[in-house]
Amino acid sequence: MNFKPFDDEAKKLIAKYSYKNGYKGSDYSWNAYLSWFNDIEYAHEDDVLYIRILDGGIFKYMLPLYNKPMALEDAIEKLPPRSILAFVTRPQKAELAHLYWNYKNRDWAEYIYNTKEFSELNGGKWRKKRQFRDKFLREYANRYTFERFTKKDMIDVIHLEQQWALNQDCPREEKKAIEKEENLLMQWLEESLKGNLICDVLRIDGRIAGCAIGEIMPNGNAVEMYEKADIEYTGVYTFLASEFAIRNFSGCRYINRQDDVGVEGL
């Protein structure tokens, strides 16, 4: 199989093959996930899209994407012998149980919510979150603005990220993830200015208090890949998350808020 470096054609193929497939993961999003890896390759053969990432010096293959009637087992038959599959969902894991031994990586598990429930925060399980949102509104109701990101917000958003990073006390490996996110933030902000991503900025008394970035996937599900806020403001994270979902993802059934990269407390 002829694999080549990931490019714009690969992005178009992902959109083509994942359109309305109902998959809730963020794995096939360039901005939300794939751009975290330095080495990504793809192959497109017989109307099947194959993607692999180099992780820890080992190639890991994502599940092939295709629209034609075929068994998953037939699609992965073309992969090299003893290939490692990544991001396998429960139904597909069961389908491949006779071929593969499986391992669950808790740090890569994603948080996926019903968008309506997450936005409205109704019901008993959302009580604490609802209380935080209400506290925010009582305190800052006439003092906050929630607007689409523009170029004039760039310096403030970068400063918010830098201040957040400075306040993190975590092991070296987690620091690497934070440094990577800082680098990706510029890419996400530029993509937002082009209209390829959705980015909103929360300000209180004119001062930046939070920023959220996300996108709607080709299959109609939402992904939020970035969310940072100044915890000086009571309830700011809960308000930022729910308001961002209400304003941008009301037409999506699910919202994927990605993983916590193994950082305790997230």
Side-chain angles (χ1 to χ4, degrees), residues 30-239:
W30 166 251
N31 285 296
Y33 201 87
L34 292 173
S35 58
W36 279 86
F37 298 92
N38 295 322
D39 296 287
I40 318 166
E41 296 179 335
Y42 77 103
H44 185 219
E45 293 188 5
D46 300 326
D47 293 325
V48 180
L49 178 63
Y50 299 89
I51 301 172
R52 67 183 185 183
I53 57 177
L54 189 63
D55 180 42
I58 301 172
F59 275 118
K60 296 179 180 178
Y61 294 81
M62 301 176 69
L63 291 175
L65 290 174
Y66 48 88
N67 291 329
K68 61 183 182 180
M70 69 182 301
L72 175 58
E73 185 174 339
D74 293 334
I76 65 174
E77 195 174 54
K78 287 191 175 183
L79 295 177
R82 304 179 69 83
S83 294
I84 297 175
L85 298 180
F87 318 120
V88 179
T89 60
R90 287 179 181 174
Q92 294 157 330
K93 184 177 72 172
E95 188 176 347
L96 300 174
H98 64 295
L99 294 174
Y100 287 86
W101 176 83
N102 67 83
Y103 166 73
K104 184 176 181 179
N105 186 339
R106 169 62 185 79
D107 293 350
W108 283 10
E110 295 187 314
Y111 296 82
I112 300 171
Y113 302 90
N114 175 285
T115 304
K116 189 175 188 297
E117 289 183 5
F118 184 83
S119 302
E120 298 177 357
L121 301 180
N122 290 329
K125 71 176 183 179
W126 297 104
R127 182 175 58 84
K128 289 185 178 180
K129 293 287 186 182
R130 190 167 59 250
Q131 289 174 344
F132 276 118
R133 184 186 62 185
D134 292 346
K135 286 180 181 178
F136 178 93
L137 289 171
R138 285 196 299 270
E139 183 75 20
Y140 312 110
N142 299 315
R143 298 164 56 190
Y144 82 85
T145 59
F146 200 100
E147 298 177 339
R148 187 68 87 222
F149 170 81
T150 66
K151 201 165 186 177
K152 66 179 177 61
D153 299 309
M154 183 79 73
I155 293 176
D156 286 345
V157 172
I158 293 172
H159 179 70
L160 178 70
E161 167 69 21
Q162 291 173 339
Q163 287 299 117
W164 177 87
L166 285 173
N167 292 332
Q168 302 308 301
D169 181 18
C170 54
R172 184 178 178 182
E173 286 303 310
E174 292 174 13
K175 282 286 187 183
K176 287 182 180 179
I178 291 172
E179 291 169 3
K180 179 70 173 180
E181 183 182 65
E182 287 187 68
N183 294 330
L184 286 173
L185 177 59
M186 286 302 301
Q187 171 186 306
W188 295 333
L189 294 176
E190 291 295 338
E191 289 297 305
S192 298
L193 292 174
K194 295 175 185 176
N196 297 327
L197 292 177
I198 303 165
C199 180
D200 285 338
V201 174
L202 171 66
R203 292 181 180 275
I204 297 176
D205 298 329
R207 176 186 169 191
I208 190 164
C211 176
I213 305 174
E215 66 178 321
I216 298 176
M217 300 291 284
N219 61 17
N221 290 323
V223 174
E224 185 180 355
M225 74 276 289
Y226 183 84
E227 183 182 281
K228 292 292 184 297
D230 185 344
I231 57 174
E232 174 185 326
Y233 301 104
T234 303
V236 65
Y237 266 107
T238 301
F239 176 79

